Amino acid sequence: AQRVTQPEKLLSVFKGAPVELKCNYSYSGSPELFWYVQYSRQRLQLLLRHISRESIKGFTADLNKGETSFHLKKPFAQEEDSAMYYCALSSLNFGNEKLTFGTGTRLTIIP
Amino acid sequence: DSGVTQTPKHLITATGQRVTLRCSPRSGDLSVYWYQQSLDQGLQFLIQYYNGEERAKGNILERFSAQQFPDLHSELNLSSLELGDSALYFCASSVDPGLANKEQFFGPGTRLTVL
């Protein structure tokens, strides 16, 4: 069974401080991990995926298979980063593309 | 708007009733996914359709059913509604789930309130 855990429901960080949103997963096969973000009054949208190894809006996330983690990090928080963040997992196998989401972390950047 | 659209935005109904939620995917997307978001729970996968056929099923109740039509829009039917069915229902679409790029594009959601 697929499971994604985001231990923090709420996280407040001062502007300019580093941010780390935690995500742990359990999955027996080969997972593909994503971070989705929902800004106020906007749709849920993809922020980044582990397969791309990209940095989006200053955020990065590294898949650690040993610790089964995919934590989201940003060195210097900005006010516009305030949003709801969801970690999600999908199978790499064709035919099983559903996303399993964590319960989300609401990030608030304090000016 | 060439993104995913969902109608209606809000729906208020009574217990025991039946409702239909509608979703139109992005132009060119063949796959449609339905998710339910209740209070205190994350998004729960309900069901996926690909080019008109059911592809995957999640924790979808027997009272719920869905289909994808030849024009690729999808409908989620919820019947014998209970108070606990009150939630946000999201639809998402993707181009071809078999590709490496599996980004799902989400609609704005339909908020269902069962009184």
Side-chain angles (χ1 to χ4, degrees):
Chain A
Q2 301 174 202
R3 189 181 186 93
V4 176
T5 303
Q6 292 180 252
E8 304 136 329
K9 270 193 171 179
L10 304 169
L11 183 64
S12 295
V13 173
F14 283 100
K15 179 181 171 182
V19 176
E20 182 178 45
L21 287 82
K22 291 186 167 48
C23 171
N24 288 90
Y25 68 90
S26 64
Y27 183 61
S28 55
S30 296
E32 186 169 0
L33 277 298
F34 304 82
W35 276 99
Y36 277 79
V37 61
Q38 188 169 27
Y39 300 103
S40 179
R41 299 193 189 89
Q42 293 188 29
R43 301 178 183 206
L44 193 62
Q45 58 187 283
L46 179 67
L47 179 62
L48 54 80
R49 70 198 76 155
H50 92 269
I51 251 176
S52 304
R53 295 177 182 267
E54 56 201 345
S55 172
I56 303 292
K57 299 185 178 183
F59 284 98
T60 58
D62 290 318
L63 178 60
N64 185 324
K65 290 188 178 180
E67 295 183 359
T68 58
S69 68
F70 188 57
H71 303 328
L72 183 68
K73 299 178 185 179
K74 184 170 182 176
F76 308 104
Q78 298 172 296
E79 287 184 64
E80 54 265 34
D81 297 329
S82 292
M84 194 74 181
Y85 291 80
Y86 294 94
C87 183
L89 176 154
S90 176
S91 165
L92 277 171
N93 298 323
F94 180 76
N96 184 8
E97 294 87 20
K98 70 173 187 178
L99 284 172
T100 298
F101 284 89
T103 48
T105 297
R106 182 169 297 283
L107 176 65
T108 301
I109 306 304
I110 305 165
Chain B
D1 184 1
S2 58
V4 178
T5 59
Q6 290 185 247
T7 56
K9 279 189 179 179
H10 303 279
L11 198 47
I12 301 174
T13 188
T15 54
Q17 295 298 305
R18 173 190 167 94
V19 297
T20 297
L21 312 184
R22 183 188 166 104
C23 168
S24 292
R26 291 188 324 153
S27 177
D29 285 0
L30 299 177
S31 226
V32 169
Y33 310 78
W34 286 98
Y35 295 88
Q36 179 194 55
Q37 185 177 36
S38 309
L39 277 174
D40 296 330
Q41 290 198 22
L43 289 104
Q44 304 284 320
F45 170 73
L46 294 178
I47 197 163
Q48 175 198 358
Y49 279 84
Y50 174 69
N51 206 19
E53 303 213 350
E54 184 182 303
R55 169 68 68 84
K57 226 170 183 176
N59 298 324
I60 187 167
L61 299 171
E62 284 191 19
R63 299 184 285 109
F64 296 0
S65 65
Q67 54 184 324
Q68 186 179 27
F69 294 87
D71 67 352
L72 300 177
H73 91 270
S74 178
E75 292 181 358
L76 179 67
N77 301 296
L78 316 176
S79 60
S80 303
L81 285 168
E82 301 175 0
L83 296 177
D85 297 328
S86 296
L88 259 174
Y89 291 85
F90 287 101
C91 171
S93 71
S94 66
V95 174
D96 179 347
L99 298 176
N101 179 356
K102 290 188 179 179
E103 179 174 0
Q104 293 185 19
F105 294 87
F106 282 77
T110 292
R111 183 172 292 282
L112 173 67
T113 302
V114 182
L115 301 174

